[in-house]
Each structure stands twice: as C-alpha cells, then as structure tokens.
Amino acid sequence: MTGPSALRTTVLRGLSGAFERLTTPLLPDDYLALVNPLWCGRELRGRIEAIHPETPDAATLVIRPGHAWAGHRPGQWAGIGVDIEGVRHWRAYSLSCPPGRPDGRITITVKAVPGGLVSRYLVRRATPGTIVGLAGPDGEFVLPKRPPPRLLFLTAGSGITPVRAMLHALFTGGAAKGALPDVVLLHSAPAPGEAIFGEELRALAARFSSLRLYERHTRAEGRLRPADLPALCPDWADRTAWVCGPAGMLEEVQKQWAGLEDRLHIERFRPAVPEAPGDGGRVRFTKSGRETDAGGGVPLLVAGEEAGVVMPSGCRMGICHSCVARLAAGRVRDLRTGQVHGDAGDLVQTCVSSATGPVQIEL
Amino acid sequence: MSTTALASRADVEEFGRELDRIRDEITASLGDRDAAYIRGVIAAQRKLELGGRALLFASWLPPAWAAGTAALAAAKILENMEIGHNVLHGQWDWMRDPKIHSTTWEWDTASPADQWKHSHNFIHHTWTNVLGKDRDIGYSLLRVSPEQRWHPVYLLQPIYNLLLALTFEYGIALYDLEVERIPSGDKSVAEALTQLRAIAGKVRRQIVKDYLAFPLLAGPAFLPVLAGNLTANLTRNLWAHTIIFCGHFPEGAEVFTEDQLAGETRGEWYVRQLLGSCNIDGSRLLHLMSGNLSHQIEHHLFPDLPSNRYAEIASRVRALCERFELPYNSGTLARQTSSVYKRILRLALPGTGRHRPESAAPPAPDLHAVG
C-alpha cells in the first residue's frame, strides 16, 4: 500500500526539485501559469465560467476551481479574490452548491449590496472567463455527517445561500439516499420576485412533502419576529436549527435560543466596516501580544516601538518598504495621502500608516 | 551649478508641494491599465526566456545560438531592471497581488532580494548622494566624485571598473554584504556570515542553472549553451552597470555632506534627490530595457510609483524645474556614458578634475543657507 504511493511521491518530489533547479528563482508553476492560469499550484485560482442572474441584484457565479481545490461540505464558504481597478480584493461567500458536482465546478451566489465594491463587481461587471483567486473552503456552519431527523432553517436575504447547498445535499444529493429528513425552512425576502432561489425552493417544497417552506415577504408583512416562531414552527425548540441572515436577526435568535445553544448553528457574514472610521484607536500586535492606544497621526511603527514591539523599519518616510507588516484586522490611514484602506491580510507600510479605530498587526 | 539657482527657502517648499501633488494624482489614477502593464511585461519576459532557452537547444546552428542568446540576454535585462528592481521597490504593492509584491519577489541575479532591499531601497534611496552615508557613491571601490579623497589605489580604477562591469551581479551581491561596517562593530561577524551563506546559496543556484543544468540538458550542445548563457549574463551585467552608473555619476550630479542633512525638510529632500540624479534621453525601448532608470530623477523623487508612469511624470518634473530654475540633468546614453567614463579616468588621478583651484571648489549647495 505504502510502496507505490511512497515511490510516486518520491518521484514527483524529485521531478519538481529538478524542475526548480531550472526555473530558480521562480518555480515551474510560474511558467505553467502562462499556459493555463489554473495550473498555478502555489496560489489557488478559479475561472468564472457562467453567471446566472437570480434576482435583479443577485447572481450565481459558476466557477471552475484549480486542481488543488479541496471538496467542501454543504454550508461552507470560499474566499474569492478579484482584481478591481488593478487592486486585489478578497471576500468570503457561501458556496451555494452541494459538493461533488459532476462537472467539478462550484457556485457562489452574490447579492450586490449598496456600496459593496466586490459584490457589485461580481454581480454587474464580472464576465465569464475572469480568473479569480480562491481560498478555502472553510467554515463550521455545516451539516453533520449524519443529519438529525428534524431540522429548522431560518434565513433572510442572501442568508439562504449556504442553506441552499444544505437543502440540495439533504434532498437531491448523496445524503438523500436514506429516509428524507423533516425540514422546516422559514425564509424572508423583500418580495416574491426578490427571493434568491425563490422558484427553486418552491419547486423543491412541492416535490418533497417532508420539506415545509414558509416565505415571509418583508416589504408587505414586515420582519419575522421571534414571537412569530412558535406559530410557524411549534416544535422549533426540538429541532436543530441553522440560522443565517442580517446581524439584527441573529441577535434576536440568540436570545430566543437561550439555553438551547447546542441545537443552534449561526453563520455571521463579514462584520460591517464602519463607514467613517475615527482617528486613532487600540492597536494590538498579535504575535508579541502587546497593545497600545495610538492617535490618528501616530505611525503604527512609532506606536509599536513605544509599546516595546520589535518593529522592522527602514527609511521611516514610506520609500523603502522595509517596515511592511500584515494587517490582521481593522483599517489604516495612509498618512501621506489621508486615504483610508486595508482589509485583513493586507501588507501595510507601518511607517506611514496610522490606526483608524481598532487595528491588529501581525507582529 | 550655483546655489543661487535655489531662489528661496519658500520656493524649495513650494517645489516639494508641487511634487506631492504629482504623487497624489498619479497614486489616485493607478488602475487596471497599470496592472495589465506589469503583468504583460512579466508574461513577455517569461516567454522571452523560454523562447531563448528553447532556441539554444539548437545552438549548433549559429543563427539559433545568436537568436537564443539575444533573447535570453533581453529576458535577463527585463527581469532585473523593469521587473525585479521596480517590484522590489514596492512599486506594484498597491495591487495586493502576493506574486508581484516586494515582500515575496526574488530575482534572477546573484544578490538575495532582502539584502539588496536594505542596501539599495533603504540606504541608497534615503541618503542619496550624501558622502559617507550613501554607499552607492563609487560602490566602495571607485572615486567618482571629486569630494572623495584620492588614494593611489584609484590609479587602477579604469581597469577594475571594467572588471566590475563584467561581473556586476557578483560585485553587487558582495557590496550588499557591507563588510566595511564590521570593524566599527556596527555589524557583527555572525550577521555577515549569515548573509554570506544566503549569497552563496543564491549564487550556487544561479550557477547550477545557467552553467550546469541547462547545458547538460542540451546534451551535445553543452558548450554552445554554456557559452550562450555566459554571454547573456555578461551582456546583462555590462548593460546594468552602464545604466546604473549613468544614474548618479555623470558630470553635474551633486554630492552632499552629512551636516546638510540636519533638519532636512521634505522640499529639501526632493531637491537633493533631483540634484543628485541624472536621466538618459531615448526611445521607449531604451526606457523599458533600462527599467525606466533612464528616468532616474523621477525614480528618486518617487521610488515607489510604478515605472510605467515615469515618462509622464518626467514632463511635469521638467516643467517644474524650469519654473523653479532648478537644473534637470538629462542627456543621451552616449553623452551620459562618456561623461561617466571621463570622470572615472580623470578622478583616478589626484585633484578634483575641475578647472579651478581646489581651495575655491564650491561646497555642495547648503539647502538651509539659501535665500
């Protein structure tokens, strides 16, 4: 058993080592990617192959991932990196398809949110053929290997996307071989035509009697309140629940499920970035564990040095790029231009960047 | 160049503000077009290298040898100058592409990227043309400025400069080691040894690739491939040496003293970068193959702005220099190169090389005293 596979690993490693001697300081990957961008092994990528509109402001993107993509579990999300105006932006989106599509492709379903740079790009401007960065899959908002017999899904807006992958796994995928589970789906959308996957969910509910769908159209009926829950699903407390939607709804749900947390799974989408960040803030250096309060005019480099962190540094005027460090959270201001920027994972020049609110630096 | 050219202190600061405005405008306008440019140059360079190496496998045919060697030399020049040098300056960091980033890039030359970034990006670009601070003045080997004290060893500099040009990549790798900082205790022997090991490792990989692995793969064409790779590396070395020496050593480039640095303002920093740097006039091809170091002035004013923008920045900087009556040192490749070699020859001998008594040689402009 180990023989052939160990031999194969040794041969592959030897071959790749030999090729690396020929391509140093680059890797063979860098040349293979000239032929097909998906053949880049160091950096996982995908190609958008189709874009299907779901509602006036939401679309499903069908993506072919590079060969290094690990299969996902229904409910997980993937990181998508897109270049907009030359700058790479990363966002996480729930995978809306169940795993193991025969064509090897995956889908994400994106709702264009007002002011959302990436979501609007993906829904309105991206075209088939676009190469995107991929990360993941990841996330704990998943179905267990053996789903419980009775489930409750409570979703609103684009919160349906991870649940759609779960519903397909439960009813039409490999997990559906045994007895069909008893599922209640309570889904809120502004209006019937604006419900992502609306028609598909209705068709699914019509086909499977053990799937009960309640649609709430909030523009006409108002938001679903926790108090409505017992009437819509009298045995809600006995079911294992998966909830995904806006932050306000999640807060209410957490109160409702107090004491029943072991039966509750919640998915939070990316926390909103404050629109008008204040000046300065608490700066935490994650590796050294040090923290300090830095004013809006104080470079992170200076704040770190004063807090006793060993900071890489150079010119102290933004020209030599010796001081760059990874931003783990928060946003920073470029002291030269005043521009506020930064997403988790970005490398920032600490000598010309200041905190705009709480910031975490990987140093 | 006389200090009266810098009309007043207020002008120096206004000049700086104008340059900051250019910087802001260029930064705000960076986008898809620029990202496509660097990705295009990188893809073209890789194809040129693949094509060159493929042609060299047929190098028993003289035209294939010549074409393959030329393509490989061009690829190596592009890789070092327009791509490597500029990526390592962080010019493309704004794209947030981890594969085209100053923290991840390693280049096809003997010098490890991180060591070069320290000696070049930090030391040279911060202390540009400050005697005793900027180690690029003569690269610790040459007397290229009359302000450097003469020593009999400089009599041989026309010869060892040619040797340096041929082996430039190794010269730069050892230069980045900064061994002269060891005696003062500024740098530990252990640190130098760690760096030397990194250099040795990189040099070994480079040598194995060009002088062993590819020639062996070519089988019967071992020798022509070896000769082709050697020629390509020599060509790249000579070209890089030429372009880099034209950046700060032609006639007219100013040298500054350390006491001029005290309290240097942003405007004065800009003026020092301007007075210490020299441009090369030429075609778009020349700008590309020189990594836009033909726009050395613009590169020193804005070392982290993308190189493809230097040409448009140059016309604006030239106009500003006219308005503020500041010199703008630019000339053809032939003129700047011959100016450099005249200096190297003249300054091999004692004296300043200036047509005035040494005692009357003007000090470099004291930017604080003007006005």
Side-chain angles (χ1 to χ4, degrees):
Chain A
M1 177 74 186
T2 54
S5 79
L7 183 66
R8 213 181 68 168
T9 312
T10 314
V11 168
L12 280 179
R13 202 168 288 160
L15 267 180
S16 110
F19 277 114
E20 279 171 32
R21 274 175 215 285
L22 299 175
T23 58
T24 183
L26 298 176
L27 291 174
D29 263 11
D30 295 310
Y31 292 97
L32 286 175
L34 287 176
V35 185
N36 183 339
L38 302 191
W39 289 350
C40 182
R42 262 192 299 172
E43 191 186 66
L44 184 60
R45 297 181 193 170
R47 183 193 292 110
I48 297 175
E49 296 197 326
I51 299 171
H52 304 301
E54 296 289 349
T55 67
D57 57 3
T60 292
L61 292 95
V62 183
I63 298 170
R64 175 170 302 285
H67 61 83
W69 172 259
H72 67 283
R73 297 175 65 189
Q76 285 193 308
W77 48 263
I80 309 285
V82 292
D83 291 329
I84 303 172
E85 288 301 324
V87 181
R88 183 152 308 169
H89 298 269
W90 283 91
R91 295 289 186 274
Y93 290 105
S94 292
L95 290 150
S96 52
C97 62
R101 274 171 66 124
D103 62 9
R105 299 188 291 185
I106 54 173
T107 69
I108 56 167
T109 302
V110 180
K111 182 172 191 288
V113 296
L117 181 71
V118 174
S119 64
R120 286 189 305 167
Y121 172 88
L122 287 173
V123 174
R124 311 224 187 277
R125 283 174 54 201
T127 51
T130 304
I131 300 292
V132 295
L134 281 180
D138 208 346
E140 297 302 315
F141 188 71
V142 290
L143 286 176
K145 287 230 163 58
R146 295 168 62 89
R150 288 192 297 167
L151 305 86
L152 167 64
F153 294 110
L154 184 52
T155 57
S158 55
I160 186 67
T161 51
V163 169
R164 188 241 187 187
M166 295 186 194
L167 289 171
H168 272 277
L170 288 169
F171 287 99
T172 64
K177 282 188 185 117
L180 290 176
D182 181 344
V183 174
V184 174
L185 168 60
L186 309 180
H187 178 57
S188 295
E194 290 169 53
I196 299 171
F197 305 124
E199 281 182 29
E200 184 188 299
L201 296 174
R202 285 161 218 143
L204 207 60
R207 196 172 139 205
F208 296 99
S209 57
S210 67
L211 170 62
R212 191 155 65 76
L213 168 68
Y214 169 77
E215 277 188 85
R216 176 82 162 203
H217 300 125
T218 53
R219 201 167 292 144
E221 306 163 66
R223 282 177 57 190
L224 189 73
R225 315 302 311 194
D228 304 331
L229 198 58
L232 296 169
C233 179
D235 62 346
W236 65 271
D238 299 329
R239 290 172 179 263
T240 312
W242 279 264
V243 184
C244 187
M249 169 178 144
L250 298 184
E251 273 170 39
E252 290 180 353
V253 162
Q254 275 182 315
K255 281 184 202 144
Q256 180 83 3
W257 260 263
L260 299 166
E261 284 85 0
D262 58 329
R263 272 179 231 163
L264 177 65
H265 301 271
I266 278 188
E267 178 82 321
R268 274 172 213 289
F269 287 161
R270 199 182 134 79
V273 174
E275 282 303 305
D279 268 345
R282 190 90 182 142
V283 183
R284 196 158 80 80
F285 296 91
T286 56
K287 286 188 188 157
S288 56
R290 291 181 189 264
E291 283 191 38
T292 184
D293 283 312
V298 180
L300 294 171
L301 172 59
V302 174
E305 285 175 336
E306 284 173 1
V309 182
V310 181
M311 302 288 290
S313 70
C315 66
R316 294 175 180 268
M317 56 203 295
I319 60 171
C320 80
H321 291 249
S322 303
C323 66
V324 293
R326 203 171 288 280
L327 188 67
R331 285 169 79 74
V332 297
R333 184 184 304 280
D334 186 321
L335 291 165
R336 297 167 300 182
T337 62
Q339 201 198 359
V340 175
H341 66 100
D343 289 316
D346 285 355
L347 290 158
V348 297
Q349 288 175 273
T350 58
C351 74
V352 289
S353 301
S354 68
T356 63
V359 163
Q360 292 183 28
I361 302 286
E362 285 180 18
L363 277 176
Chain B
M1 215 285 302
S2 89
T3 54
T4 55
L6 305 174
S8 73
R9 174 70 175 263
D11 274 2
V12 170
E13 294 316 308
E14 180 56 24
F15 177 71
R17 278 192 291 275
E18 290 285 355
L19 288 176
D20 279 340
R21 258 191 284 281
I22 294 177
R23 181 192 175 82
D24 290 349
E25 279 177 41
I26 297 289
T27 307
S29 70
L30 294 176
D32 281 336
R33 192 167 56 96
D34 305 276
Y37 171 81
I38 191 62
R39 292 206 170 96
V41 174
I42 290 173
Q45 183 273 328
R46 287 174 187 172
K47 287 173 188 165
L48 206 54
E49 179 171 354
L50 285 174
R53 294 201 185 272
L55 274 169
L56 279 174
F57 282 126
S59 55
W60 30 269
L61 289 168
W65 186 88
T69 302
L72 189 56
K76 280 178 176 278
I77 286 170
L78 273 180
E79 199 276 346
N80 279 193
M81 318 247 343
E82 181 66 341
I83 304 170
H85 170 270
N86 295 331
V87 168
L88 289 173
H89 260 292
Q91 291 184 7
W92 302 98
D93 285 5
W94 60 273
M95 286 163 52
R96 303 199 292 201
D97 182 338
K99 291 176 78 87
I100 311 178
H101 201 279
S102 62
T103 54
T104 59
W105 195 268
E106 188 53 84
W107 56 354
D108 184 17
T109 181
S111 185
D114 56 341
Q115 293 186 30
W116 180 85
K117 275 195 288 187
H118 173 77
S119 71
H120 179 85
N121 284 10
F122 174 34
I123 304 288
H124 168 59
H125 272 269
T126 310
W127 313 117
T128 309
N129 284 33
V130 176
L131 207 60
K133 283 279 210 179
D134 180 2
R135 301 172 63 255
D136 280 22
I137 299 175
Y139 293 94
S140 320
L141 284 176
L142 302 160
R143 184 170 180 245
V144 292
S145 158
E147 284 84 355
Q148 288 172 278
R149 191 186 298 275
W150 184 80
H151 184 278
V153 74
Y154 291 133
L155 287 169
L156 294 174
Q157 76 174 11
I159 297 164
Y160 61 68
N161 177 50
L162 285 178
L163 292 176
L164 173 67
L166 290 170
T167 59
F168 197 54
E169 62 170 319
Y170 304 109
I172 291 296
L174 290 176
Y175 163 76
D176 289 341
L177 197 57
E178 305 180 320
V179 282
E180 79 281 2
R181 284 172 55 211
I182 297 175
S184 63
D186 194 22
K187 180 172 188 167
S188 72
V189 175
E191 190 189 344
L193 280 176
T194 309
Q195 284 188 320
L196 194 61
R197 267 192 291 274
I199 295 171
K202 180 126 194 242
V203 167
R204 182 173 46 78
R205 286 192 295 278
Q206 294 290 107
I207 287 179
V208 165
K209 174 178 74 166
D210 278 343
Y211 304 133
L212 202 62
F214 273 106
L216 279 176
L217 264 185
F222 182 92
L223 282 178
V225 168
L226 181 73
N229 291 358
L230 186 65
T231 308
N233 279 327
L234 281 176
T235 308
R236 184 267 315 269
N237 283 352
L238 285 168
W239 177 252
H241 175 275
T242 303
I243 294 300
I244 288 159
F245 272 47
C246 285
H248 301 287
F249 305 157
E251 206 54 51
E254 292 280 333
V255 167
F256 306 88
T257 56
E258 277 189 58
D259 53 340
Q260 286 174 280
L261 288 173
E264 187 180 55
T265 65
R266 185 156 177 81
E268 288 165 348
W269 184 82
Y270 273 133
V271 171
R272 176 160 60 84
Q273 302 301 327
L274 170 75
L275 299 182
S277 308
C278 310
N279 279 11
I280 306 168
D281 301 329
S283 63
R284 287 180 63 175
L285 183 65
L286 175 103
H287 296 318
L288 174 69
M289 297 310 278
S290 68
N292 275 292
L293 291 180
S294 47
H295 295 114
Q296 187 77 233
I297 293 173
E298 288 68 31
H299 174 56
H300 263 269
L301 296 173
F302 310 113
D304 61 351
L305 289 190
S307 57
N308 63 323
R309 295 300 193 91
Y310 285 158
E312 67 177 285
I313 296 172
S315 58
R316 299 177 67 177
V317 173
R318 244 180 218 273
L320 277 184
C321 286
E322 276 175 32
R323 196 178 121 199
F324 288 88
E325 296 180 5
L326 288 165
Y328 188 92
N329 190 336
S330 192
T332 60
L333 184 62
R335 199 191 107 182
Q336 301 294 53
T337 310
S338 66
S339 173
V340 168
Y341 279 88
K342 261 186 235 161
R343 259 200 190 202
I344 287 172
L345 289 170
R346 173 60 191 87
L347 294 175
L349 303 169
T352 65
R354 285 177 178 162
H355 298 293
R356 57 175 85 89
E358 196 170 350
S359 57
D366 181 342
L367 299 174
H368 297 285
V370 295

